């Protein structure tokens, strides 16, 4: 009899629990909205000893709440599991395992997420205060289920050592609460964009395919160091990467470094640990931090201010010994290095592309700690974390620099199916992102303007039928590295010159484009097929990959993989002394870049065929990607987003007499 009663109680308890769960789920589960698919996850699936929902709950609270709810503050501490379980206020527990309705946490975050008239949930949540940070339907479901199932941290005994997961690498969102200026600058930077770039993803997948997978994580280990630490492969698609992996070169990539490596090609270590448990390293050794302030430990790391720190990822040598990127090596041999100027001098200062000493940078506070008097923190000479360079985002303004949590669960492109809250926050997001992208563009143009100038020597008069010379010289005005630098085989800096006769007809042109918007060189399909002539006068500072063909002659190729030597589609280590020469004998980079503070030019000749006024237009152009590259990697749909930036220009007239 007793067994029957016990069994009946168990059945009744299970039924009641199921009904309660369905009732709560009805408040938060999506109804008519189309669900987003193939979105980045927050925790990489694995055989972890954690409760299945705890990692997600932990990251939700860390990213949205823990900036204010810190130890030693006047608010409930949300920095750890132990603090959350023990927390109470006015005699009420923050979390009551098994009962969301009795838990203050649920009361704080729950709201009528679908904004239905028959919902009993509050119209808006008490927390988080920022409207764009309110928990999405999926996040509410996760929190509710976690509390209902007992609010556990582990499903295995606590003495089982958990593996390293995304929980051990704080997101930049956690840093934003105390470092809003740095976060805002970083969020629109190419460091934040590094792994999200559709061009980089397609380029990497193309190289992996063409090398039979033998390059592994060679490319991605610089673009997402945390993702590689999580075990992601080089061929993992972005939609299958974790969200912190998509933060690319995120805050902890640089500020969780405490060792000096003096090596290139990436693979830098990032120290794991919760944000308040592990030291953050920076340029200052007198930071106000630690348990007494409820903030993370901090220490100075002088190596961070050296160019070598940047060179670990900005000098890249392939397994075959080809020096794919030489930004740091160029700096080492530059006038800037001799003058004591570092990478950070130009790329983290108030004027992008111009060296500004630390002592001349604007003063301000490096942190704004909630609950701590601002004047208790030291004033600093602040750096700019935009890291401005020549690249820019090719993603929609709904995807970068920032994206809202609910957008990972709902197809935000279906406007008619969105709730008023979703529409309002989506519009606000786009306005914020567009403003941020305009700032990033302004800094990018500033870098390019401070790169080079042109000098034109054009005659004032000429005669019909006689050769007329127009001399154009390009002068580099930057001391730090060559123009262009970085992955220079995809950067184009060229002179475009056009001469028009009195009727406006083009009588001479160099640096013009074919139907695919490519330069008329050996990468133009129309040139290779003989449809248009080769531009023999082209002055292009682009570096190019050169492969030894099977006939023993050189041939420039678009991708950094030579498929003209052997039919074996594998990247083999060189069996010679490639390190002595900087390249293997069958593949090299033809350097066309302009060295720092140097000048190179071209003389253009044409013969006027009628008297009158001839107009001469000269431009120094920059483009960060050639259209033919996008064709080669399978992203031709993005070619219309490529921008040609005019670094400098000149116009003049020549009076031609009979």
């Amino acid at each position: 009899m007793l067994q029957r009663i016990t069994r009946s109680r168990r059945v009744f308890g299970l039924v009641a629990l199921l009904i309660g769960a369905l009732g709560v789920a009805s408040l938060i589960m999506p109804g008519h909205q189309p669900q987003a698919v193939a979105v980045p996850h927050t925790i990489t699936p694995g055989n972890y000893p954690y409760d299945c929902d705890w990692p997600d709950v932990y990251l939700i609270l860390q990213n949205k709440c823990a900036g204010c709810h810190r130890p030693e503050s006047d608010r409930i501490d949300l920095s750890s599991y132990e603090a959350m379980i023990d927390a109470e206020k006015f005699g009420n527990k923050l979390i009551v395992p098994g009962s969301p309705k009795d838990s203050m946490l649920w009361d704080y975050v729950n709201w009528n997420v679908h904004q239905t008239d028959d919902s009993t949930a509050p119209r808006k949540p008490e927390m988080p205060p920022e409207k764009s940070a309110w928990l999405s339907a999926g996040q509410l479901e996760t929190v509710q289920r976690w509390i209902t199932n007992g609010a556990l941290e582990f499903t295995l005994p606590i003495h089982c050592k958990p593996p390293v997961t995304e929980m051990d690498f704080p997101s930049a969102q956690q840093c934003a609460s105390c470092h809003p200026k740095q976060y805002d600058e970083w969020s629109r930077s190419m460091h934040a964009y590094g792994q999200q770039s559709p061009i980089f993803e397609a380029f990497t997948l193309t190289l992996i395919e063409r090398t039979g997978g033998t390059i592994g994580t060679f490319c991605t280990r610089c673009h997402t160091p945390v993702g590689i630490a999580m075990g992601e492969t080089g061929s993992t698609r972005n939609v299958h990467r974790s969200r912190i992996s998509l933060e690319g070169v995120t805050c902890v990539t640089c500020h969780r470094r405490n060792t000096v490596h003096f090596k290139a090609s990436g693979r830098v270590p990032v120290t794991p640990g919760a944000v308040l448990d592990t030291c953050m390293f920076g340029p200052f050794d007198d930071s106000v931090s630690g348990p007494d302030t409820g903030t993370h430990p901090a220490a100075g790391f002088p190596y961070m201010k050296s160019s070598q720190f940047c060179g670990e990822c900005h000098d890249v040598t392939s397994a075959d010994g080809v020096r794919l990127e030489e930004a740091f090596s160029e700096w080492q041999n530059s006038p800037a290095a001799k003058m004591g100027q570092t990478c950070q001098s130009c790329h983290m200062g108030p004027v992008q592309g111009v060296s500004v000493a630390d002592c001349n940078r604007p003063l301000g506070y490096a942190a704004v700690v909630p609950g701590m008097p601002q004047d208790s923190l030291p004033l600093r000479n602040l750096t700019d974390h935009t890291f401005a360079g020549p690249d820019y985002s090719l993603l929609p303004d709904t995807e970068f620099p920032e994206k809202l949590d609910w957008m990972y669960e709902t197809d935000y492109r279906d406007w008619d199916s969105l709730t008023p809250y979703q529409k309002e926050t989506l519009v606000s997001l786009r306005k914020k992102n567009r403003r941020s992208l305009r700032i990033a563009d302004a800094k990018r143009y500033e870098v390019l303007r401070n790169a080079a100038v042109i000098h034109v020597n054009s005659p004032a008069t000429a005669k019909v039928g006689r050769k007329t010379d127009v001399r154009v010289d390009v002068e580099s005005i930057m001391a730090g590295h060559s123009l262009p630098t970085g992955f220079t085989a995809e950067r184009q800096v060229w002179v475009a010159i056009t001469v028009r006769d009195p009727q406006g007809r083009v009588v001479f042109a160099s640096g013009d484009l074919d139907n695919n918007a490519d330069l008329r060189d050996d990468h133009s399909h129309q040139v290779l097929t003989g449809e248009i002539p080769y531009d023999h006068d082209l002055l292009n500072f682009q570096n190019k990959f050169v492969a030894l063909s099977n006939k023993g002659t050189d041939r420039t190729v678009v991708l950094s993989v030579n498929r003209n030597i052997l039919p074996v589609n594998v990247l083999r280590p060189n069996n010679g002394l490639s390190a002595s020469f900087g390249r293997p004998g069958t593949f090299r980079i033809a350097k066309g870049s302009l060295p720092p503070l140097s000048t190179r030019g071209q003389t253009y000749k044409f013969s006027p065929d009628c008297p009158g006024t001839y107009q001469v237009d000269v431009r120094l152009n920059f483009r960060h990607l050639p259209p033919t590259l996008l064709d080669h990697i399978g992203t031709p749909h993005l070619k219309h987003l490529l921008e040609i930036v005019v670094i400098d220009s000149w116009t003049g007239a020549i009076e031609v007499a009979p």
Side-chain angles (χ1 to χ4, degrees), residues 67 211 266 401 500 553:
T211 60
R500 298 180 182 274
T553 56

PDB file of all heavy atoms in Angstrom, residues 67 211 266 401 500 553:
ATOM      1  N   GLY A  67      28.769  42.958 -14.782  1.00  0.00           N
ATOM      2  CA  GLY A  67      29.539  44.195 -14.752  1.00  0.00           C
ATOM      3  C   GLY A  67      29.157  45.069 -13.570  1.00  0.00           C
ATOM      4  O   GLY A  67      30.000  45.735 -12.972  1.00  0.00           O
ATOM      5  N   THR A 211      44.885  22.599 -50.731  1.00  0.00           N
ATOM      6  CA  THR A 211      46.070  21.982 -50.135  1.00  0.00           C
ATOM      7  C   THR A 211      45.732  20.642 -49.484  1.00  0.00           C
ATOM      8  O   THR A 211      46.512  20.120 -48.696  1.00  0.00           O
ATOM      9  CB  THR A 211      46.694  22.910 -49.076  1.00  0.00           C
ATOM     10  OG1 THR A 211      45.736  23.168 -48.049  1.00  0.00           O
ATOM     11  CG2 THR A 211      47.140  24.218 -49.684  1.00  0.00           C
ATOM     12  N   GLY A 266      51.483  33.522 -35.642  1.00  0.00           N
ATOM     13  CA  GLY A 266      50.390  33.323 -34.698  1.00  0.00           C
ATOM     14  C   GLY A 266      50.588  32.175 -33.733  1.00  0.00           C
ATOM     15  O   GLY A 266      51.686  31.869 -33.307  1.00  0.00           O
ATOM     16  N   PRO A 401      28.931  46.215 -36.472  1.00  0.00           N
ATOM     17  CA  PRO A 401      29.760  45.664 -35.410  1.00  0.00           C
ATOM     18  C   PRO A 401      29.025  44.829 -34.350  1.00  0.00           C
ATOM     19  O   PRO A 401      29.635  43.962 -33.736  1.00  0.00           O
ATOM     20  CB  PRO A 401      30.357  46.923 -34.755  1.00  0.00           C
ATOM     21  CG  PRO A 401      30.220  48.011 -35.724  1.00  0.00           C
ATOM     22  CD  PRO A 401      28.964  47.702 -36.475  1.00  0.00           C
ATOM     23  N   ARG A 500      42.403  63.397 -71.922  1.00  0.00           N
ATOM     24  CA  ARG A 500      41.272  63.590 -72.825  1.00  0.00           C
ATOM     25  C   ARG A 500      41.554  64.756 -73.772  1.00  0.00           C
ATOM     26  O   ARG A 500      42.133  65.774 -73.371  1.00  0.00           O
ATOM     27  CB  ARG A 500      39.981  63.855 -72.049  1.00  0.00           C
ATOM     28  CG  ARG A 500      39.575  62.707 -71.140  1.00  0.00           C
ATOM     29  CD  ARG A 500      38.288  63.010 -70.377  1.00  0.00           C
ATOM     30  NE  ARG A 500      37.930  61.940 -69.471  1.00  0.00           N
ATOM     31  CZ  ARG A 500      37.212  60.863 -69.811  1.00  0.00           C
ATOM     32  NH1 ARG A 500      36.753  60.762 -71.052  1.00  0.00           N
ATOM     33  NH2 ARG A 500      36.945  59.927 -68.935  1.00  0.00           N
ATOM     34  N   THR A 553      58.843  28.386 -66.514  1.00  0.00           N
ATOM     35  CA  THR A 553      58.716  29.840 -66.555  1.00  0.00           C
ATOM     36  C   THR A 553      57.864  30.329 -65.390  1.00  0.00           C
ATOM     37  O   THR A 553      57.054  29.590 -64.835  1.00  0.00           O
ATOM     38  CB  THR A 553      58.068  30.286 -67.876  1.00  0.00           C
ATOM     39  OG1 THR A 553      56.797  29.628 -68.015  1.00  0.00           O
ATOM     40  CG2 THR A 553      58.950  29.929 -69.056  1.00  0.00           C
TER      41      THR A 553
END
